[in-house]
């Protein structure tokens, strides 16, 4: 298939590009810069110039493809709600092009969007998303549901903390804050857990969803159901050579800032159904193994 890929030069997208090409697919990668264009050419992909704000460029990319994989998202958390609403508009735009064609639209969401509320229940693929009125990121899955009702063949990949030795999802922000403040904390006893997946295992799942996915389904890209925040804080503290401490929920807001809303959540997730449905076996290092191998002086 010829696949239009948003976020093609990003952390996830740049791993999906070679995964698709090795499997015989063509990739039409969205990029707004010449640096990104050259990166895509070097990887063997076609270049489509544009960005998430240029809806006409998105329409053209989708019109020239057999499938769309949407991984791009603006991670400026100072404008988080606005960015989530922009994502809704992007998905609506892509869906308008694909409606009634049986061409798949695969959209990226997060395991934290599942409506179990971060209370320790294992997140499942069947869990509906929390409302965007509660967590703005819910707008993504609301937009996917609306596109499905208009006849778009939609599928969702829910990501946990995607990691290698350079980035680890929300953990990367926790590392930055620990460096700035000189301590690596966990909240309370630090028993709350975050799920995780190696970067290239996640890329493989996107390919399998493209090739085997069922319309209307959600797929959890989870290799580890839950890694405790205490364990994460301890290895980060070792890497940065800063104290590891316990803080209260009240202190978390001051330390973590916007990240505090996630830092205390216990949000494990399972991919048992995803693995069975698609034959996906996530392979790669654990989150802690990658954190231990990081060059903290460069991060």
């Amino acid at each position: 298939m010829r696949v239009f890929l948003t976020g093609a030069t990003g952390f996830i997208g740049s791993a999906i590009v070679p995964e698709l090409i090795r499997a015989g697919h063509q990739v039409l990668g969205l990029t707004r810069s010449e640096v990104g264009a050259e990166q895509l050419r070097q990887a063997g992909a076609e270049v489509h110039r544009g960005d998430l704000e240029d809806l006409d460029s998105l329409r053209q990319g989708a019109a020239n493809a057999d499938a769309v994989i949407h991984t791009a998202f603006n991670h400026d958390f100072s404008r988080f709600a606005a960015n989530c609403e922009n994502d809704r508009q992007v998905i609506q735009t892509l869906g308008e092009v694909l409606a009634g064609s049986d061409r798949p639209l695969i959209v990226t969401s997060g395991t934290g969007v599942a409506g179990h509320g971060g209370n320790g229940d294992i997140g499942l693929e069947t869990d509906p998303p929390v409302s965007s009125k509660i967590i703005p990121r819910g707008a993504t899955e609301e937009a996917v549901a609306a596109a499905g009702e208009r006849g778009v063949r939609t599928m969702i990949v829910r990501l946990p903390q995607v990691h290698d030795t350079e980035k680890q999802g929300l953990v990367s922000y926790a590392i930055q804050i620990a460096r700035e403040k000189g301590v690596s904390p966990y909240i309370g006893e630090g028993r709350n857990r975050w799920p995780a997946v190696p970067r290239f295992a996640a890329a493989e799942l996107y390919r399998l969803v493209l090739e085997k996915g069922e319309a209307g389904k959600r797929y959890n890209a989870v290799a580890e159901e839950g890694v405790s925040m205490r364990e994460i804080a301890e290895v980060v503290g070792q890497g940065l050579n800063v104290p590891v401490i316990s803080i209260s929920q009240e202190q978390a807001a001051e330390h973590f800032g916007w990240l505090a809303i996630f830092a205390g959540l216990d949000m494990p997730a399972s991919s048992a159904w995803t693995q069975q449905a698609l034959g996906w076996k996530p392979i790669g290092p654990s989150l802690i193994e990658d954190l231990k191998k990081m060059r903290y002086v460069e991060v």
Side-chain angles (χ1 to χ4, degrees), residues 46-258:
E46 297 178 63
V47 175
H48 183 79
R49 296 299 287 266
D51 58 43
L52 297 183
E53 305 295 327
D54 183 353
L55 298 183
D56 283 339
S57 74
L58 298 178
R59 292 186 185 96
Q60 292 166 8
N64 291 323
D66 301 311
V68 176
I69 298 178
H70 174 44
T71 68
F73 187 79
N74 186 336
H75 288 94
D76 177 0
F77 284 94
S78 68
R79 300 183 66 255
F80 185 54
N83 292 338
C84 292
E85 287 305 313
N86 287 345
D87 199 49
R88 187 197 300 271
Q89 188 174 29
V90 167
I91 294 165
Q92 178 180 338
T93 299
L94 295 170
E96 289 170 355
V97 178
L98 301 176
S101 69
D102 201 42
R103 290 179 290 164
L105 171 61
I106 300 167
V107 172
T108 304
S109 181
T111 56
V113 174
H116 55 70
N119 60 6
D121 292 341
I122 300 290
L124 303 176
E125 295 88 346
T126 52
D127 289 339
V130 68
S131 167
S132 60
K133 296 178 181 178
I134 299 172
I135 297 179
R137 194 70 162 100
T140 294
E141 295 201 20
E142 291 170 358
V144 171
E149 291 173 358
R150 293 195 303 271
V152 184
R153 186 182 165 210
T154 60
M155 289 160 275
I156 292 172
V157 175
R158 283 177 170 169
L159 296 177
Q161 309 313 305
V162 183
H163 59 85
D164 61 11
T165 57
E166 296 182 6
K167 292 184 179 181
Q168 300 83 27
L170 292 177
V171 178
S172 295
Y173 297 100
I175 294 170
Q176 293 173 9
I177 296 168
R179 184 194 305 283
E180 293 168 3
K181 302 207 171 178
V183 293
S184 179
Y186 53 88
I187 300 172
E189 296 182 356
R191 292 183 178 179
N192 61 301
R193 298 153 292 172
W194 286 359
V197 68
R199 176 174 169 236
F200 287 98
E204 180 188 26
L205 180 60
Y206 277 93
R207 176 181 61 79
L208 290 172
V209 172
L210 174 71
E211 295 172 348
K212 303 179 181 180
E214 183 180 343
K217 297 296 185 180
R218 308 180 191 95
Y219 298 90
N220 282 355
V222 172
E224 296 178 274
E225 289 193 355
V227 183
S228 78
M229 291 304 295
R230 178 167 184 162
E231 190 174 7
I232 292 170
E234 287 174 345
V235 72
V236 169
Q238 292 168 3
L240 292 174
N241 195 27
V242 299
V244 179
I245 62 171
S246 171
I247 62 175
S248 67
Q249 188 66 58
E250 292 72 26
Q251 293 171 306
E254 180 180 354
H255 177 87
F256 287 109
W258 64 264

